[in-house]
């Protein structure tokens, strides 16, 4: 198996949607699903092209109320290329007799290709192949090469190459009852000898998108006079009639440009799309420069492991999709990093807390991307301030789901496809997303040392989030502590107490501990500022010492519930919930990852049981070391002992259905050192999240970027034991049994390091970057690594 290539060697209609998502090509500016050029949207295929941050809102009446949703808009389909031999049918995989088939996603080059040899009803055999890429360097360009070879016949053939703006958003079945027509066509037409264009506009956000496509015949002859343009409103295509000759390939290049009205340094999207199209090089030229860009990226971003099977290939697939979702082309686009990539319409392209799992990989390689993604949040600080005021709170309340403006985009009702019922969606009560943002700001700084960013943007965000938590914390006479009431933790199976009218839970341990971490970090962050900037910032946001004193008080007295001795309760009274019949439900349903849907369809609710969709308390052990937790719990006046980690992990692992793909990442991380065998099993599940579609049919709607990036970070930080503590870069490798060696480059505080670890040695070489010595530690050994030098450590029994 080539660890750079994802291969499919037969056609499977049932898997086509999944493959389209996994074979999506993108460049951080736009992305196109790996759909076949001849395909229309159907229950098998779903062509989709999405602009990073290309949202639009539509209203629909659902269950007696009008709901408004902001969606990532499916843009005109530029892939369309269809053909029909004379007297036959338009080529269609569903009806053709397939003789040979191979589809390859070459991640090294960022190229998707497919070759099909088929036989038609007239027994004509034809081979049709395409290669396609979305240019990583020239962000407005994509190209497709198509060759058609008549194997045992000669004759006429008709070809269509088009742009289709009549498409709607219909990629997610459970959203299909909602309005879905986001585009209106403003203009369509032709340019030059071989060009067609389409200009569309989104109905509410007024985003204009222009696509221009040239279809160039580079081998073969068009029958005289038989090249023309065929049009319907919103749909335009070039039709060509050719004389095909047995064994002689006809070769076409379809060169596409895409611009939007939000682009920088353009005059008007359509003009620029046509202009670039006219001066562009051909397919081969473009391919060369595209591959060079990917070479440069892989040089920095690859993680090379020696392991059996397909682990290396899957790891690269995860890195590949991450780099296609955010790249240099995304900088300053004012987009966040979407939980499902720009690969499909699930979760509407929204931004969640999944950044928490995604940024560590970027921080250690291309931190300028994290910076840009954090600025997406900073620009929405005013909206978050308004949201806090409206909720009667202080500071900034960032939304659980964020889209264009930073208002709360979480849907009010969601459909349970199992029961067919629309249900209230309370997931916006996940206030912990704010802590994730503060955590991300701090860790970006910790890895890069970018004080300028902190002084200009970062610390202001952390302070406003600290304010939010301080205002959420209310004093309870009963417990003699501060409490946070009426929230949801990461575990979305619990949104209220059994039988309660009002949604929300009290003292979610994860939220409360994170709140304390944010407050402590806010106080620490203030010390990073120069006296002048500190004074200015305090003055601008009106922060005085009485307020920071209250923060100290909240830190000292925050409540964390416990039960059964030292089990941290997921929330207050968690222990009063019933235990769940795991065996019975597994026997009855098999796959019980989405217990919420199963129970609701039965007229029951997970709120009654000690079941969780995903890691919640365990998140604490994922984000913090035992020493850090000790500090946090001590600051609150609780005792924390490292042995609690194991007990709590066991307790909650036994009660989790892993209904979110993020859960496997977290569980395998927290078990990595105590139970390597189990950790590896769980890690395999995380690796398989998308490639095997472990949720049984969600990946075709979009990849799970948090799980993808989180699994890469498992190898990066967890396996290397990589941490930065008090100015020292620490390594403590513990590589999974099934991996023999790991090598990668990481960037830390401006310096690149090559790191190679095997079972018995660890070598770190300092490469280009800041010309300064760096302190490196392994176990008790500390070294000062001079620029350009290497250091090795012997590892035993790892
Ligand atoms: C998970 C959330 C996650 C979201 C987007 C949900 O299923 O429960 O934790 O943020 O998906 O990935």
């Amino acid at each position: 198996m080539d660890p750079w290539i994802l291969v499919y060697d037969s056609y499977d209609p049932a898997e086509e949607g999944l493959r389209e998502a996994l074979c999506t090509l993108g460049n951080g500016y736009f992305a196109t699903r790996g759909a076949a050029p001849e395909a229309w949207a159907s229950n098998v295929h779903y062509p989709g092209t999405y602009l990073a941050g290309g949202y639009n809102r539509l209203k629909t009446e659902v269950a007696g109320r009008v709901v408004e949703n902001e969606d990532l808009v499916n843009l005109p389909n530029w892939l369309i290329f269809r053909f029909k031999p004379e007297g036959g049918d338009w080529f269609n995989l569903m009806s053709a007799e397939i003789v040979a088939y191979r589809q390859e996603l070459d991640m090294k080059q960022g190229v998707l290709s497919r070759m099909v040899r088929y036989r038609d009803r007239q027994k004509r055999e034809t081979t049709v192949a395409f290669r396609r890429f979305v240019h990583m360097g020239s962000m407005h360009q994509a190209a497709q090469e198509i060759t058609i070879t008549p194997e045992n016949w000669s004759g006429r053939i008709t070809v269509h190459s088009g742009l289709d703006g009549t498409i709607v958003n219909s990629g997610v079945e459970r959203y299909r009852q909602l309005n879905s027509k986001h585009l209106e066509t403003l203009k369509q037409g032709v340019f030059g000898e071989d060009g067609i264009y389409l200009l569309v506009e989104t109905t509410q956000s007024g985003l204009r998108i222009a696509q221009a496509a040239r279809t160039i015949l580079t081998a073969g002859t068009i029958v005289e006079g038989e090249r023309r343009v065929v049009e319907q409103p919103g749909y335009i295509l070039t039709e060509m009639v050719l004389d095909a000759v047995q064994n002689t390939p006809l070769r076409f290049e379809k060169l596409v440009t895409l611009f939007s009205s939000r682009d920088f340094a353009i005059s008007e999207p359509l003009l620029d799309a046509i202009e670039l199209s006219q001066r562009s090089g051909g397919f081969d030229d473009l391919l060369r420069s595209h591959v060079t860009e990917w070479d440069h990226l892989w040089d920095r971003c690859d993680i090379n492991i020696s392991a059996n099977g397909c682990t290396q290939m899957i790891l690269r697939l995860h890195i590949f999709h991450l780099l296609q979702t955010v790249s240099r082309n995304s900088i300053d686009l004012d987009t966040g990093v979407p939980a499902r990539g720009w690969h499909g319409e699930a979760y509407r392209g929204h931004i969640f807390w999944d950044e928490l799992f995604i940024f560590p990989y970027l921080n250690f390689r291309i931190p300028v991307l994290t910076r840009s993604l954090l600025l997406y949040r900073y620009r929405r600080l005013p909206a978050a301030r308004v949201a806090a005021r409206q909720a009667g709170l202080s500071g900034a309340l960032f939304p659980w789901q964020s889209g264009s403006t930073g208002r709360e985009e979480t849907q009010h009702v969601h459909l349970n496809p199992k029961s067919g019922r629309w249900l209230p969606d309370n997931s916006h009560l996940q206030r912990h997303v704010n802590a994730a943002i503060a955590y991300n700001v701090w860790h970006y700084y910790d890895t890069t040392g970018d004080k300028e960013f902190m002084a200009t943007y970062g610390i202001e965000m952390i302070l406003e989030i600290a304010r939010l938590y301080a205002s959420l914390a209310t004093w309870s006479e009963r417990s003699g502590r501060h409490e946070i009431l009426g929230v949801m933790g990461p575990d979305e199976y619990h949104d209220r107490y059994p039988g309660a009218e009002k949604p929300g839970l009290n003292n979610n341990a994860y939220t409360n501990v994170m709140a304390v971490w944010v407050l402590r970090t806010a106080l620490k962050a203030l010390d990073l500022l120069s006296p002048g900037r500190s004074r200015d910032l305090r003055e601008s946001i009106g922060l005085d010492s009485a307020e920071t004193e209250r923060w100290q008080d909240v830190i000292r007295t925050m409540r964390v519930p416990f039960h059964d001795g030292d089990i941290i309760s997921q929330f207050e009274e968690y222990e009063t919930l019933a235990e769940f019949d795991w065996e019975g439900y597994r026997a009855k349903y098999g796959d019980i990852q989405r217990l919420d849907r199963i129970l609701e369809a039965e007229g029951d609710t997970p709120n009654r049981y000690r079941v969780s969709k995903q890691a919640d308390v365990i998140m604490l052990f994922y984000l913090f070391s035992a020493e850090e937790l000790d500090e946090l719990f001590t600051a609150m006046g609780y005792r924390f002992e490292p042995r609690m980690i194991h007990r709590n992990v066991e307790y909650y692992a036994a009660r989790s259905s892993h209904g979110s793909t993020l859960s496997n990442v977290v569980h395998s991380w927290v078990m990595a050192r105590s139970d390597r065998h189990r950790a590896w099993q769980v890690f395999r599940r995380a690796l398989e999240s998308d490639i095997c579609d472990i949720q049984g049919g969600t990946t075709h709607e979009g990849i799970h970027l948090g799980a993808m990036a989180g699994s890469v970070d498992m190898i990066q930080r967890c396996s290397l034991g990589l941490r930065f503590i008090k100015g020292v870069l620490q390594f403590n490798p513990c590589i999974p049994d099934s991996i023999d060696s790991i090598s990668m480059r990481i960037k830390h505080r401006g310096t690149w390091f090559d790191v190679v670890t095997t079972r018995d040695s660890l070598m770190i070489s300092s490469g280009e970057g800041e010309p300064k010595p760096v302190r490196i530690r392994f176990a008790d050994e500390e070294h000062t690594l001079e620029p350009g030098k290497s250091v090795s450590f012997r590892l035993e029994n790892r």
Side-chain angles (χ1 to χ4, degrees), residues 109 115 191 212 287 316 323 424 436 467 485 506 577 604 635 644 682 694 735 747 790:
Q109 308 209 337
M115 185 283 301
F191 65 96
L287 179 60
R316 290 207 172 112
L323 298 176
R467 273 186 153 157
L485 310 177
N506 301 334
L577 304 181
D604 202 346
M644 284 165 60
V682 184
I694 62 163
I735 63 181
K747 188 180 189 182
S790 302

Side-chain angles (χ1 to χ4, degrees), residues 339-340 347 352-354 400 430 432 490 492 594 613-614 659-662 695 704:
R340 306 296 289 271
Y347 292 141
F352 294 65
W353 75 316
D354 304 46
W400 170 239
Q430 291 183 70
H432 67 86
E492 296 183 330
R594 291 307 300 264
K613 176 180 179 189
Q614 65 204 92
S660 160
T661 54
L662 298 172
Q695 291 194 326
H704 298 82

Side-chain angles (χ1 to χ4, degrees), residues 281-312:
F283 184 91
D284 294 332
D285 277 353
L286 287 170
L287 179 60
R288 248 188 309 277
S289 50
H290 166 71
V291 171
T292 305
E293 277 313 306
W294 270 108
D295 273 351
H296 296 166
L297 270 175
W298 283 118
D299 186 40
R300 307 271 168 190
C301 298
D302 191 24
I303 294 184
N304 200 299
I305 57 172
S306 92
N308 287 337
C310 50
T311 309
Q312 172 76 81

Side-chain angles (χ1 to χ4, degrees), residues 120-132:
D120 65 13
R121 280 190 286 137
Q122 287 85 352
K123 303 287 174 222
R124 285 178 291 203
E125 277 191 24
T126 309
T127 300
V128 52
F130 77 76
R131 286 192 296 163
R132 173 193 304 166

Side-chain angles (χ1 to χ4, degrees), residues 90-367:
W90 290 97
F91 167 63
N92 173 2
L93 274 179
M94 295 297 283
S95 54
E97 185 192 336
I98 299 174
V99 180
Y101 184 96
R102 192 169 175 90
Q103 178 168 327
E104 292 190 354
L105 175 69
D106 179 338
M107 296 176 274
K108 181 114 183 58
Q109 308 209 337
V111 173
L112 176 66
S113 60
R114 188 196 69 179
M115 185 283 301
V116 186
R117 184 168 170 153
Y118 78 101
R119 197 175 294 130
D120 65 13
R121 280 190 286 137
Q122 287 85 352
K123 303 287 174 222
R124 285 178 291 203
E125 277 191 24
T126 309
T127 300
V128 52
F130 77 76
R131 286 192 296 163
R132 173 193 304 166
F133 58 91
V134 170
H135 204 292
M136 186 46 93
S138 178
M139 66 198 242
H140 299 284
Q141 292 193 275
Q144 190 165 242
E145 172 206 59
I146 289 122
T147 51
I148 304 169
T149 313
E151 301 290 351
N152 62 355
W153 59 278
S154 297
R156 291 247 149 126
I157 183 167
T158 305
V159 164
H160 281 175
S161 171
L163 297 172
D164 182 5
T166 64
I167 40 88
V168 296
N169 270 49
S170 61
V172 178
E173 199 177 332
R174 62 187 180 283
Y175 302 163
R176 285 193 193 142
Q177 295 175 34
L178 304 169
N179 284 329
S180 56
K181 189 171 168 3
H182 291 278
L183 294 178
E184 268 159 20
T185 303
L186 298 183
K187 246 183 182 178
Q188 59 193 69
V190 298
F191 65 96
E193 282 179 7
D194 45 25
I196 53 175
Y197 68 78
L198 203 56
L199 177 69
V200 296
E201 187 175 51
T202 54
T203 54
Q204 169 273 330
S205 56
L207 181 69
R208 289 182 174 204
I209 307 286
Q211 287 182 0
R214 291 174 59 202
T215 307
I216 304 163
L217 178 69
T218 58
T221 14
I222 298 178
V223 178
E224 213 183 313
E226 289 294 347
R227 178 173 188 131
R228 60 192 185 105
V229 169
V230 181
E231 291 189 65
Q232 294 164 25
Y235 184 30
I236 180 159
L237 60 88
T238 304
E239 180 179 274
M240 288 173 256
V241 180
L242 302 106
D243 277 326
V245 178
Q246 184 172 349
N247 281 330
T248 314
L250 299 167
R251 180 177 180 275
F252 305 83
E253 294 185 359
K254 183 168 185 181
L255 310 177
V256 173
T257 57
L258 186 153
F259 281 77
S260 97
S261 50
R262 278 190 7 204
D263 293 338
F264 302 122
I266 63 161
S267 74
E268 188 277 324
L270 183 56
L271 272 179
D272 283 72
I274 293 177
E275 210 175 284
L276 176 58
S277 187
Q278 283 176 320
R279 71 178 142 80
S280 166
F283 184 91
D284 294 332
D285 277 353
L286 287 170
L287 179 60
R288 248 188 309 277
S289 50
H290 166 71
V291 171
T292 305
E293 277 313 306
W294 270 108
D295 273 351
H296 296 166
L297 270 175
W298 283 118
D299 186 40
R300 307 271 168 190
C301 298
D302 191 24
I303 294 184
N304 200 299
I305 57 172
S306 92
N308 287 337
C310 50
T311 309
Q312 172 76 81
M313 191 274 288
I314 301 177
L315 207 60
R316 290 207 172 112
L317 183 71
H318 292 185
I319 297 172
F320 180 69
H321 283 303
L322 188 52
L323 298 176
Q324 292 200 111
T325 307
V326 284
S327 78
R328 235 168 50 168
N329 303 317
S330 335
I331 295 174
D332 289 344
L333 281 187
D334 191 31
T335 57
V337 57
R340 306 296 289 271
W342 310 119
H343 293 55
E345 291 154 21
Y347 292 141
R348 310 189 154 88
H350 291 166
I351 322 302
F352 294 65
W353 75 316
D354 304 46
E355 295 170 324
L356 188 68
F357 299 83
I358 295 169
F359 288 168
Y361 174 82
L362 299 176
N363 285 341
F364 279 101
R365 289 182 181 72
I366 327 179

